[in-house]
Amino acid sequence: MRDFDNWAASARNQHGQLSGLAGTSAAGGQYAIQLPQDVEPPAGREPEAAYAGIREPIAYSAELTGWPPRVLTIAGSDSGGGAGIQADLKTCQELGVFGMSAITAVTSQNSRGVHAVYPMQEEAVLSQIDAVLGDIGAHAVKTGMLYSSDIVKSVASKLDAYGIRKLVVDPVLVAKDGSPLFRRDAVNALRDELLPRALVATPNLPEACELLGMEESAIRSVSDMMEAANMLLRFGPKYVLLKGGHLEDEAFRGLAIDVLAGGDRLAGTEPLTLSGPRIATRHTHGTGCSTAAAIAAYLARGFEMEHAARAAKCFVAAAIARAVPLGGGIGSLWHAAHREPAHGLQ
Ligand SMILES: Nc1ncnc2c1ncn2[C@@H]1O[C@H](COP(=O)(O)OP(=O)(O)OP(=O)(O)O)[C@@H](O)[C@H]1O
Ligand SMILES: Cc1ncc(COP(=O)(O)O)c(N)n1
Protein backbone atom coordinates (compact mmCIF):
# COMPACT_ATOMS: atom_id res chain seq x y z
CA MET A 1 0.00 0.00 0.00
CA ARG A 2 1.35 3.43 -0.89
CA ASP A 3 1.67 5.99 1.87
CA PHE A 4 -0.97 8.24 0.48
CA ASP A 5 -3.54 5.45 0.30
CA ASN A 6 -3.21 5.05 4.00
CA TRP A 7 -6.35 6.91 4.93
CA ALA A 8 -9.18 5.77 7.07
CA ALA A 9 -11.45 8.77 7.01
CA SER A 10 -11.80 12.42 6.28
CA ALA A 11 -14.55 14.97 6.57
CA ARG A 12 -15.66 18.11 4.86
CA ASN A 13 -16.72 21.33 6.52
CA GLN A 14 -19.59 23.54 5.42
CA HIS A 15 -17.46 25.10 2.66
CA GLY A 16 -16.71 21.71 1.16
CA GLN A 17 -13.16 21.65 2.50
CA LEU A 18 -11.62 18.93 4.59
CA SER A 19 -12.07 19.62 8.26
CA GLY A 20 -10.41 16.50 9.53
CA LEU A 21 -8.22 13.69 8.29
CA ALA A 22 -7.40 10.37 9.83
CA GLY A 23 -5.09 7.46 9.19
CA THR A 24 -2.41 5.26 10.71
CA SER A 25 0.56 6.90 12.39
CA ALA A 26 4.20 5.84 12.29
CA ALA A 27 3.69 4.08 15.61
CA GLY A 28 0.86 2.01 14.13
CA GLY A 29 -1.98 3.75 15.99
CA GLN A 30 -4.92 5.59 14.48
CA TYR A 31 -4.80 9.36 14.29
CA ALA A 32 -7.01 12.22 13.30
CA ILE A 33 -5.85 15.65 12.16
CA GLN A 34 -8.22 18.50 12.89
CA LEU A 35 -7.78 21.25 10.35
CA PRO A 36 -8.56 24.82 11.49
CA GLN A 37 -12.28 25.37 11.77
CA ASP A 38 -14.32 28.43 10.97
CA VAL A 39 -13.75 31.29 13.32
CA GLU A 40 -15.90 34.35 13.87
CA PRO A 41 -14.82 37.54 12.04
CA PRO A 42 -13.22 40.07 14.39
CA ALA A 43 -15.75 42.64 15.61
CA GLY A 44 -16.65 45.13 12.91
CA ARG A 45 -15.02 43.16 10.12
CA GLU A 46 -16.81 40.92 7.66
CA PRO A 47 -15.02 38.36 5.55
CA GLU A 48 -14.55 39.54 1.97
CA ALA A 49 -17.14 38.04 -0.36
CA ALA A 50 -14.36 36.69 -2.55
CA TYR A 51 -13.22 34.67 0.44
CA ALA A 52 -16.48 32.85 0.91
CA GLY A 53 -14.73 29.55 0.27
CA ILE A 54 -11.93 30.08 2.74
CA ARG A 55 -12.31 28.96 6.31
CA GLU A 56 -11.06 31.96 8.25
CA PRO A 57 -11.93 35.61 7.71
CA ILE A 58 -9.28 38.09 6.73
CA ALA A 59 -8.12 40.61 9.28
CA TYR A 60 -5.73 42.96 7.51
CA SER A 61 -2.57 44.04 9.22
CA ALA A 62 -2.61 47.68 10.17
CA GLU A 63 0.37 48.73 8.08
CA LEU A 64 -0.87 47.59 4.69
CA THR A 65 -4.41 47.28 3.45
CA GLY A 66 -6.03 46.05 0.28
CA TRP A 67 -7.09 42.69 -1.03
CA PRO A 68 -5.61 40.14 -1.30
CA PRO A 69 -3.13 39.57 1.53
CA ARG A 70 0.38 39.24 0.07
CA VAL A 71 3.51 37.32 1.02
CA LEU A 72 6.99 37.77 -0.40
CA THR A 73 9.28 34.76 -0.18
CA ILE A 74 13.03 35.33 -0.48
CA ALA A 75 14.45 31.87 -1.09
CA GLY A 76 16.06 29.41 -3.47
CA SER A 77 14.40 27.70 -6.41
CA ASP A 78 13.96 23.91 -6.27
CA SER A 79 13.65 22.56 -9.81
CA GLY A 80 11.94 19.46 -8.41
CA GLY A 81 9.04 21.60 -7.19
CA GLY A 82 8.94 20.26 -3.63
CA ALA A 83 10.82 22.80 -1.51
CA GLY A 84 12.08 26.40 -1.73
CA ILE A 85 10.25 29.03 -3.74
CA GLN A 86 8.03 26.43 -5.37
CA ALA A 87 6.75 25.07 -2.04
CA ASP A 88 6.25 28.59 -0.73
CA LEU A 89 4.18 29.77 -3.67
CA LYS A 90 2.04 26.61 -3.67
CA THR A 91 1.42 27.10 0.05
CA CYS A 92 0.45 30.75 -0.41
CA GLN A 93 -1.99 29.95 -3.18
CA GLU A 94 -3.59 27.15 -1.18
CA LEU A 95 -4.03 29.44 1.81
CA GLY A 96 -5.66 32.27 -0.13
CA VAL A 97 -2.66 34.57 -0.18
CA PHE A 98 -0.98 36.21 -3.20
CA GLY A 99 2.57 34.85 -3.28
CA MET A 100 5.57 36.74 -4.73
CA SER A 101 9.23 35.79 -4.92
CA ALA A 102 12.81 37.01 -4.85
CA ILE A 103 15.09 34.15 -5.92
CA THR A 104 18.45 33.91 -4.16
CA ALA A 105 19.81 30.81 -5.90
CA VAL A 106 18.74 28.35 -8.54
CA THR A 107 19.20 24.72 -7.53
CA SER A 108 19.15 21.71 -9.82
CA GLN A 109 17.36 19.36 -7.51
CA ASN A 110 15.08 16.34 -7.52
CA SER A 111 13.83 13.65 -5.16
CA ARG A 112 17.32 12.14 -4.95
CA GLY A 113 19.14 15.30 -3.94
CA VAL A 114 20.78 18.56 -4.95
CA HIS A 115 22.86 18.32 -8.14
CA ALA A 116 24.02 21.93 -8.38
CA VAL A 117 23.56 25.36 -6.79
CA TYR A 118 23.77 28.56 -8.86
CA PRO A 119 23.66 31.56 -6.51
CA MET A 120 22.19 34.80 -7.82
CA GLN A 121 24.18 38.00 -7.65
CA GLU A 122 23.37 40.06 -4.57
CA GLU A 123 22.24 42.93 -6.80
CA ALA A 124 19.73 40.67 -8.55
CA VAL A 125 18.23 39.58 -5.22
CA LEU A 126 17.86 43.17 -4.00
CA SER A 127 16.40 44.29 -7.29
CA GLN A 128 13.67 41.65 -7.05
CA ILE A 129 12.84 42.75 -3.49
CA ASP A 130 12.68 46.41 -4.56
CA ALA A 131 10.44 45.56 -7.49
CA VAL A 132 7.96 43.76 -5.24
CA LEU A 133 8.02 45.85 -2.07
CA GLY A 134 8.38 49.18 -3.88
CA ASP A 135 5.17 48.60 -5.79
CA ILE A 136 2.92 45.78 -4.57
CA GLY A 137 3.91 45.53 -0.92
CA ALA A 138 3.73 42.49 1.36
CA HIS A 139 1.82 41.84 4.57
CA ALA A 140 4.47 39.29 5.54
CA VAL A 141 7.90 38.24 4.27
CA LYS A 142 9.45 34.79 4.54
CA THR A 143 13.14 34.00 4.04
CA GLY A 144 14.52 30.56 3.21
CA MET A 145 17.78 29.62 1.51
CA LEU A 146 19.83 32.83 1.46
CA TYR A 147 23.14 31.11 0.63
CA SER A 148 25.85 33.65 1.52
CA SER A 149 26.58 36.17 4.26
CA ASP A 150 26.51 38.98 1.67
CA ILE A 151 22.97 38.06 0.65
CA VAL A 152 21.86 37.69 4.29
CA LYS A 153 23.23 41.11 5.26
CA SER A 154 21.84 43.01 2.33
CA VAL A 155 18.43 41.33 2.59
CA ALA A 156 18.35 42.29 6.29
CA SER A 157 18.97 45.97 5.60
CA LYS A 158 16.57 45.99 2.66
CA LEU A 159 13.78 44.62 4.87
CA ASP A 160 14.56 47.34 7.40
CA ALA A 161 14.25 49.97 4.70
CA TYR A 162 10.74 48.75 3.90
CA GLY A 163 9.76 48.49 7.56
CA ILE A 164 8.84 44.81 7.34
CA ARG A 165 7.38 43.73 10.67
CA LYS A 166 6.02 40.26 9.97
CA LEU A 167 9.24 38.49 9.07
CA VAL A 168 9.43 34.69 9.14
CA VAL A 169 13.04 33.48 9.03
CA ASP A 170 13.49 29.83 8.07
CA PRO A 171 17.24 29.35 8.59
CA VAL A 172 17.70 26.81 5.80
CA LEU A 173 21.16 25.28 5.98
CA VAL A 174 21.12 21.84 4.37
CA ALA A 175 18.76 19.87 2.16
CA LYS A 176 17.26 16.54 3.23
CA ASP A 177 20.05 14.65 1.44
CA GLY A 178 22.66 16.59 3.46
CA SER A 179 23.71 18.89 0.58
CA PRO A 180 24.71 22.32 1.86
CA LEU A 181 22.38 25.15 0.82
CA PHE A 182 24.36 27.80 2.73
CA ARG A 183 27.99 28.90 2.66
CA ARG A 184 29.60 28.40 6.07
CA ASP A 185 30.17 32.13 6.48
CA ALA A 186 26.44 32.75 6.28
CA VAL A 187 25.58 31.11 9.60
CA ASN A 188 26.95 33.98 11.70
CA ALA A 189 25.27 36.56 9.48
CA LEU A 190 21.99 34.73 9.75
CA ARG A 191 22.25 34.61 13.55
CA ASP A 192 23.49 38.19 14.02
CA GLU A 193 21.78 40.11 11.22
CA LEU A 194 18.53 38.35 10.42
CA LEU A 195 17.32 36.61 13.59
CA PRO A 196 17.11 39.89 15.56
CA ARG A 197 14.70 41.22 12.92
CA ALA A 198 12.48 38.14 12.82
CA LEU A 199 8.99 37.97 14.24
CA VAL A 200 9.52 34.22 14.21
CA ALA A 201 12.46 31.94 13.40
CA THR A 202 11.64 28.36 12.36
CA PRO A 203 14.77 26.17 12.62
CA ASN A 204 14.70 22.39 12.54
CA LEU A 205 16.83 20.52 15.07
CA PRO A 206 20.14 20.41 13.13
CA GLU A 207 19.75 24.11 12.22
CA ALA A 208 19.09 25.01 15.86
CA CYS A 209 22.25 23.13 16.88
CA GLU A 210 24.28 24.91 14.23
CA LEU A 211 22.99 28.34 15.29
CA LEU A 212 23.69 27.56 18.95
CA GLY A 213 27.16 26.15 18.21
CA MET A 214 26.17 22.73 19.57
CA GLU A 215 27.02 19.34 18.11
CA GLU A 216 24.55 18.29 15.42
CA SER A 217 22.53 15.76 17.40
CA ALA A 218 22.61 17.56 20.76
CA ILE A 219 18.83 18.04 20.94
CA ARG A 220 17.38 14.63 21.83
CA SER A 221 14.19 15.21 23.80
CA VAL A 222 11.25 17.57 24.07
CA SER A 223 12.81 19.18 27.13
CA ASP A 224 16.05 19.71 25.16
CA MET A 225 13.86 21.36 22.50
CA MET A 226 12.32 23.72 25.04
CA GLU A 227 15.72 24.69 26.35
CA ALA A 228 17.10 25.21 22.84
CA ALA A 229 14.08 27.30 21.80
CA ASN A 230 14.58 29.56 24.82
CA MET A 231 18.29 29.88 24.03
CA LEU A 232 17.52 30.84 20.42
CA LEU A 233 15.24 33.64 21.68
CA ARG A 234 18.40 35.33 22.97
CA PHE A 235 19.42 36.01 19.36
CA GLY A 236 16.47 38.38 19.11
CA PRO A 237 13.49 36.87 17.28
CA LYS A 238 10.19 37.56 19.03
CA TYR A 239 9.21 33.89 18.69
CA VAL A 240 11.03 30.65 17.94
CA LEU A 241 9.19 27.70 16.44
CA LEU A 242 11.58 24.79 16.84
CA LYS A 243 10.42 22.07 14.45
CA GLY A 244 10.74 18.53 15.70
CA GLY A 245 10.48 16.52 12.49
CA HIS A 246 14.00 15.17 13.17
CA LEU A 247 13.34 14.32 16.85
CA GLU A 248 14.05 10.76 17.88
CA ASP A 249 12.63 10.69 21.38
CA GLU A 250 11.33 7.24 22.30
CA ALA A 251 8.96 8.76 24.84
CA PHE A 252 7.13 10.55 22.00
CA ARG A 253 7.26 7.86 19.31
CA GLY A 254 4.39 8.32 16.88
CA LEU A 255 4.17 12.06 17.42
CA ALA A 256 5.61 15.02 15.50
CA ILE A 257 6.26 17.68 18.12
CA ASP A 258 7.23 21.31 17.65
CA VAL A 259 7.97 23.86 20.35
CA LEU A 260 6.85 27.50 20.24
CA ALA A 261 8.69 29.90 22.56
CA GLY A 262 8.55 33.66 22.99
CA GLY A 263 5.96 36.40 22.62
CA ASP A 264 4.21 38.38 25.34
CA ARG A 265 1.59 35.77 26.22
CA LEU A 266 4.19 33.07 26.78
CA ALA A 267 6.68 35.33 28.59
CA GLY A 268 7.90 33.70 31.77
CA THR A 269 6.09 30.45 31.00
CA GLU A 270 7.25 27.19 29.48
CA PRO A 271 7.24 27.12 25.68
CA LEU A 272 4.16 25.58 24.07
CA THR A 273 4.38 22.13 22.55
CA LEU A 274 2.44 21.67 19.34
CA SER A 275 1.99 18.01 18.73
CA GLY A 276 0.42 15.98 15.95
CA PRO A 277 0.58 12.42 14.70
CA ARG A 278 3.85 11.38 13.04
CA ILE A 279 2.74 10.20 9.63
CA ALA A 280 4.38 7.05 8.35
CA THR A 281 6.06 8.25 5.18
CA ARG A 282 9.56 9.05 4.00
CA HIS A 283 8.21 11.53 1.45
CA THR A 284 8.71 14.73 3.41
CA HIS A 285 10.65 16.91 0.98
CA GLY A 286 9.61 20.50 1.61
CA THR A 287 8.03 20.18 5.07
CA GLY A 288 10.19 22.92 6.57
CA CYS A 289 9.69 25.44 3.74
CA SER A 290 5.95 24.78 3.66
CA THR A 291 5.62 25.24 7.42
CA ALA A 292 7.36 28.63 7.36
CA ALA A 293 5.42 29.73 4.26
CA ALA A 294 2.12 28.69 5.84
CA ILE A 295 2.96 30.70 8.97
CA ALA A 296 3.75 33.73 6.78
CA ALA A 297 0.48 33.26 4.89
CA TYR A 298 -1.58 33.03 8.08
CA LEU A 299 0.25 36.03 9.58
CA ALA A 300 -0.49 38.00 6.40
CA ARG A 301 -4.12 37.12 6.92
CA GLY A 302 -4.03 38.63 10.39
CA PHE A 303 -3.63 35.54 12.59
CA GLU A 304 -1.77 35.85 15.87
CA MET A 305 1.44 33.81 16.05
CA GLU A 306 0.12 30.95 18.14
CA HIS A 307 -2.90 30.47 15.91
CA ALA A 308 -0.74 30.81 12.78
CA ALA A 309 1.70 28.14 14.02
CA ARG A 310 -1.09 25.70 14.89
CA ALA A 311 -2.91 26.26 11.60
CA ALA A 312 0.35 25.86 9.64
CA LYS A 313 1.08 22.56 11.38
CA CYS A 314 -2.36 21.23 10.45
CA PHE A 315 -1.99 22.36 6.84
CA VAL A 316 1.45 20.72 6.52
CA ALA A 317 0.35 17.52 8.27
CA ALA A 318 -2.40 17.06 5.68
CA ALA A 319 0.13 17.75 2.88
CA ILE A 320 2.55 15.15 4.35
CA ALA A 321 -0.21 12.60 4.69
CA ARG A 322 -0.93 12.98 0.98
CA ALA A 323 2.75 13.31 -0.09
CA VAL A 324 3.46 12.24 -3.66
CA PRO A 325 6.19 9.59 -4.03
CA LEU A 326 7.48 11.09 -7.27
CA GLY A 327 11.00 10.20 -8.43
CA GLY A 328 13.23 7.52 -6.98
CA GLY A 329 14.10 9.28 -3.71
CA ILE A 330 12.26 11.42 -1.17
CA GLY A 331 8.91 12.54 -2.57
CA SER A 332 7.26 15.91 -1.95
CA LEU A 333 4.23 17.19 -0.11
CA TRP A 334 0.87 17.54 -1.83
CA HIS A 335 -0.15 21.04 -0.91
CA ALA A 336 -3.73 20.65 -2.10
CA ALA A 337 -4.42 17.88 0.43
CA HIS A 338 -6.52 20.15 2.61
CA ARG A 339 -9.12 20.49 -0.13
CA GLU A 340 -9.23 16.97 -1.52
CA PRO A 341 -12.46 14.99 -1.68
CA ALA A 342 -13.39 12.92 1.34
CA HIS A 343 -12.16 9.34 1.43
CA GLY A 344 -14.46 6.79 2.90
CA LEU A 345 -16.30 8.92 5.45
CA GLN A 346 -20.00 9.67 5.10
N1 LIG B 1 6.38 12.34 9.44
C1 LIG B 1 5.78 13.44 9.89
N2 LIG B 1 4.49 13.43 10.25
C2 LIG B 1 3.87 14.53 10.69
N3 LIG B 1 4.46 15.73 10.80
C3 LIG B 1 5.76 15.82 10.46
C4 LIG B 1 6.50 14.70 9.98
N4 LIG B 1 7.78 15.11 9.70
C5 LIG B 1 7.82 16.43 9.98
N5 LIG B 1 6.63 16.86 10.46
C6 LIG B 1 6.26 18.21 10.83
O1 LIG B 1 6.56 19.02 9.70
C7 LIG B 1 7.01 20.31 10.11
C8 LIG B 1 8.41 20.55 9.56
O2 LIG B 1 9.32 19.91 10.43
P1 LIG B 1 10.77 19.39 10.07
O3 LIG B 1 11.48 19.29 11.36
O4 LIG B 1 10.65 18.20 9.21
O5 LIG B 1 11.30 20.62 9.23
P2 LIG B 1 12.56 20.68 8.31
O6 LIG B 1 13.56 19.65 8.73
O7 LIG B 1 13.00 22.09 8.23
O8 LIG B 1 11.96 20.25 6.94
P3 LIG B 1 12.86 20.06 5.67
O9 LIG B 1 13.66 18.85 5.99
O10 LIG B 1 11.84 19.87 4.61
O11 LIG B 1 13.69 21.28 5.52
C9 LIG B 1 6.93 20.28 11.64
O12 LIG B 1 5.68 20.79 12.05
C10 LIG B 1 7.07 18.80 11.98
O13 LIG B 1 6.52 18.49 13.24
C1 LIG C 1 15.85 25.65 -2.62
C2 LIG C 1 15.68 24.83 -1.40
N1 LIG C 1 15.31 25.43 -0.26
C3 LIG C 1 15.12 24.68 0.86
C4 LIG C 1 15.31 23.32 0.84
C5 LIG C 1 15.13 22.48 2.11
O1 LIG C 1 14.13 21.53 1.97
P1 LIG C 1 14.39 19.96 2.24
O2 LIG C 1 15.17 19.86 3.51
O3 LIG C 1 13.01 19.40 2.34
O4 LIG C 1 15.16 19.41 1.08
C6 LIG C 1 15.69 22.73 -0.37
N2 LIG C 1 15.90 21.42 -0.48
N3 LIG C 1 15.87 23.50 -1.47
Side-chain angles (χ1 to χ4, degrees):
M1 184 189 280
R2 288 170 307 181
D3 297 326
F4 58 75
D5 290 331
N6 193 17
W7 287 96
S10 56
R12 281 172 170 273
N13 68 10
Q14 59 176 310
H15 300 308
Q17 291 164 310
L18 291 174
S19 59
L21 300 169
T24 307
S25 79
Q30 294 295 304
Y31 66 78
I33 300 166
Q34 275 312 115
L35 294 177
Q37 300 295 298
D38 295 315
V39 295
E40 288 300 312
R45 282 180 170 150
E46 293 301 324
E48 299 274 341
Y51 266 79
I54 303 260
R55 278 181 291 263
E56 300 85 3
I58 309 302
Y60 292 120
S61 56
E63 62 268 28
L64 184 67
T65 56
W67 184 91
R70 283 146 267 163
V71 165
L72 167 65
T73 167
I74 306 172
S77 163
D78 168 6
S79 54
I85 290 278
Q86 286 78 1
D88 296 347
L89 294 180
K90 289 175 191 181
T91 300
C92 286
Q93 189 67 27
E94 288 296 333
L95 294 179
V97 167
F98 188 79
M100 303 165 290
S101 62
I103 296 182
T104 56
V106 171
T107 71
S108 305
Q109 197 175 160
N110 58 25
S111 71
R112 294 179 196 271
V114 179
H115 298 227
V117 174
Y118 303 95
M120 300 291 289
Q121 286 180 355
E122 202 185 323
E123 187 192 335
V125 176
L126 297 182
S127 161
Q128 294 172 77
I129 298 173
D130 276 330
V132 170
L133 296 182
D135 176 37
I136 305 166
H139 296 79
V141 172
K142 182 229 143 175
T143 64
M145 172 189 182
L146 295 180
Y147 189 68
S148 67
S149 67
D150 288 345
I151 296 182
V152 173
K153 286 177 189 167
S154 44
V155 164
S157 52
K158 187 58 86 182
L159 295 177
D160 274 355
Y162 284 101
I164 297 300
R165 302 230 290 270
K166 294 182 180 177
L167 174 62
V168 180
V169 174
D170 189 21
V172 173
L173 297 177
V174 289
K176 277 248 148 68
D177 69 337
S179 306
L181 297 171
F182 244 75
R183 273 197 350 215
R184 296 295 313 165
D185 66 334
V187 178
N188 288 353
L190 189 62
R191 189 184 54 220
D192 301 338
E193 306 287 335
L194 210 52
L195 289 193
R197 293 167 162 90
L199 177 58
V200 59
T202 62
N204 62 20
L205 299 191
E207 288 158 354
C209 291
E210 183 77 44
L211 290 164
L212 290 166
M214 293 156 62
E215 74 171 71
E216 197 190 317
S217 55
I219 305 174
R220 296 197 182 89
S221 64
V222 173
S223 62
D224 288 349
M225 285 177 72
M226 290 190 179
E227 200 179 324
N230 277 331
M231 284 161 73
L232 287 164
L233 282 177
R234 295 189 205 136
F235 297 135
K238 182 152 189 204
Y239 292 88
V240 169
L241 179 74
L242 182 52
K243 299 170 297 186
H246 298 244
L247 186 71
E248 288 172 15
D249 184 344
E250 265 308 301
F252 295 94
R253 208 163 69 86
L255 293 177
I257 298 186
D258 304 335
V259 161
L260 180 67
D264 300 332
R265 204 182 76 80
L266 298 177
T269 67
E270 265 198 349
L272 283 181
T273 51
L274 311 181
S275 90
R278 182 172 289 276
I279 296 153
T281 178
R282 68 191 185 103
H283 304 300
T284 55
H285 181 59
T287 49
C289 302
S290 304
T291 299
I295 291 174
Y298 282 118
L299 289 173
R301 289 172 56 173
F303 281 40
E304 296 303 326
M305 179 58 63
E306 202 181 308
H307 190 185
R310 289 183 191 282
K313 187 165 175 67
C314 292
F315 172 79
V316 171
I320 295 172
R322 281 267 186 242
V324 281
L326 298 174
I330 299 174
S332 295
L333 307 198
W334 182 248
H335 292 87
H338 71 122
R339 59 181 164 96
E340 281 185 12
H343 290 261
L345 192 81
Q346 299 306 312

